[in-house]
Amino acid sequence: MKITSYQQNLLSDIERLTAFYEVITEKSKGIIYDLGTGSGVLSSWAAPLSRFVYAVEKDPFTAQIAQKNLRLFKNVSLMVSDAKTIFFPEKADLIICEMMDTALIDEDQVPVLNSVQKYLKKDGDIIPCGVFNGVEAVDANIAHLCYHEGVTPQHQLMSKLIIYDKIDFKKYINPKIHYSIPILINNKGTVSGVKITTFTLLTPNFICGPTPMLNPPLLVPTNKLDVEKGDEIILKLKYSMGGGLDTLRASIEPVS
Ligand SMILES: C[S@@+](CC[C@H](N)C(=O)[O-])C[C@H]1O[C@@H](n2cnc3c(N)ncnc32)[C@H](O)[C@@H]1O
């Protein structure tokens, strides 16, 4: 069974793995769900420290890789299913859910968490436990949405980073985002896009910035607006978490 290049890239991102390893080995106990187990790497760290791990993977091909990697653990059950619709026979002390994506738009993290929160014990934990989302105005020569990974698309920052959203994974998450965000411009020029950056809270006190495979910043083109230093503009930002990048709309206007 050959590992896919996507799973290989996830396993090559040492910064991402180190952050998860640290928190999983600290928090693992009792009953654990590992939702979106992929290659099974996170389950393989949790299993020796827990009573039982339910590892869930919806992609059958990827699940075969997890099956092979986890076969020696007697306390792991691999479920090939969509984590949104699964029935778990017992509640979890810890839910690990790594279906992260910048601003949680393009993966199932939010719909999955909304459907499994009922299975978390009262004093249980979720890894990661939340995110902060931030945005900056940019002048970028881009025609389409693009992730800021590998080759950096040319862009100039036109404002400071503004944290516009804080999401707690233990509470119900409204997937619909529709914000008007005031942004103070700190450069003369043209604003033609925004850069969205997601910071992952592995625990409330352990924040991990973007890594190549964990929420690389997203550059989003907008309409163009000529600006002076000190101007204020309004960013209208709309998307659905779990709805995919097609739901993302961003436009800017001057403060009238
Ligand atoms: C970002 S990968 C993480 C893989 C692994 N946990 C790791 O950290 O290396 C997310 C995985 O979640 C799986 N996945 C996505 N949506 C899912 C869903 N609704 N139910 C179960 N698995 C899902 C994908 O197929 C993929 O293997």
Side-chain angles (χ1 to χ4, degrees):
M1 177 60 44
K2 219 170 156 295
I3 197 154
T4 61
S5 61
Y6 174 62
Q7 294 297 333
Q8 191 56 59
N9 289 343
L10 287 166
L11 293 174
S12 305
D13 185 345
I14 299 300
E15 208 181 331
R16 181 188 84 94
L17 288 181
T18 309
F20 275 92
Y21 179 80
E22 199 166 305
V23 178
I24 288 171
T25 49
E26 182 198 322
K27 299 257 177 202
S28 288
K29 62 169 187 182
I31 302 300
I32 299 184
Y33 305 166
D34 174 20
L35 309 179
T37 195
S39 65
V41 59
L42 307 184
S43 285
S44 74
W45 296 334
L49 302 167
S50 62
R51 193 150 62 75
F52 202 81
V53 178
Y54 295 89
V56 182
E57 173 55 53
K58 79 168 178 190
D59 177 56
F61 182 77
T62 307
Q64 286 182 47
I65 299 164
Q67 183 70 62
K68 182 170 172 254
N69 290 340
L70 297 170
R71 69 191 181 286
L72 296 180
F73 294 100
K74 301 284 174 249
N75 63 337
V76 178
S77 164
L78 180 70
M79 304 158 103
V80 187
S81 178
D82 188 328
K84 294 194 290 293
T85 54
I86 213 160
F87 168 79
F88 291 99
E90 53 191 334
K91 287 196 168 191
D93 295 283
L94 176 66
I95 296 176
I96 303 165
C97 185
E98 207 292 57
M99 297 173 199
M100 302 290 287
D101 178 63
T102 313
L104 310 175
I105 302 171
D106 205 31
E107 293 277 354
D108 262 354
Q109 185 86 11
V110 166
V112 164
L113 287 173
N114 278 341
S115 43
V116 300
Q117 276 159 354
K118 60 179 178 285
Y119 288 111
L120 185 66
K121 289 182 187 171
K122 251 204 173 111
D123 56 350
D125 280 317
I126 302 182
I127 298 175
C129 67
V131 292
F132 291 170
N133 289 321
V135 71
E136 291 154 283
V138 296
D139 185 1
N141 191 15
I142 47 163
H144 307 286
L145 291 171
C146 57
Y147 287 101
H148 185 340
E149 52 186 349
V151 183
T152 313
Q154 279 243 309
H155 65 281
Q156 190 192 351
L157 296 178
M158 301 292 286
S159 74
K160 284 190 181 164
L161 178 78
I162 293 161
I163 300 295
Y164 67 89
D165 210 4
K166 295 182 181 178
I167 297 175
D168 177 352
F169 288 168
K170 273 195 174 179
K171 298 187 175 143
Y172 171 78
I173 308 155
N174 181 352
K176 301 279 181 217
I177 296 296
H178 196 170
Y179 288 137
S180 292
I181 305 165
I183 299 180
L184 185 64
I185 298 300
N186 60 15
N187 260 323
K188 178 182 164 69
T190 304
V191 175
S192 56
V194 291
K195 177 175 170 180
I196 299 177
T197 303
T198 295
F199 301 89
T200 306
L201 281 90
L202 273 301
T203 70
N205 299 318
F206 182 171
I207 300 182
C208 183
T211 75
M213 294 302 289
L214 184 67
N215 309 328
L218 182 60
L219 286 167
V220 185
T222 60
N223 52 309
K224 291 189 177 180
L225 201 60
D226 291 334
V227 289
E228 298 287 334
K229 184 174 177 181
D231 282 357
E232 196 175 54
I233 63 169
I234 302 288
L235 166 66
K236 304 259 178 170
L237 188 63
K238 199 174 166 185
Y239 53 83
S240 170
M241 291 186 282
L245 291 171
D246 286 349
T247 64
L248 179 53
R249 302 279 177 278
S251 63
I252 49 172
E253 53 192 56
V255 171
S256 46

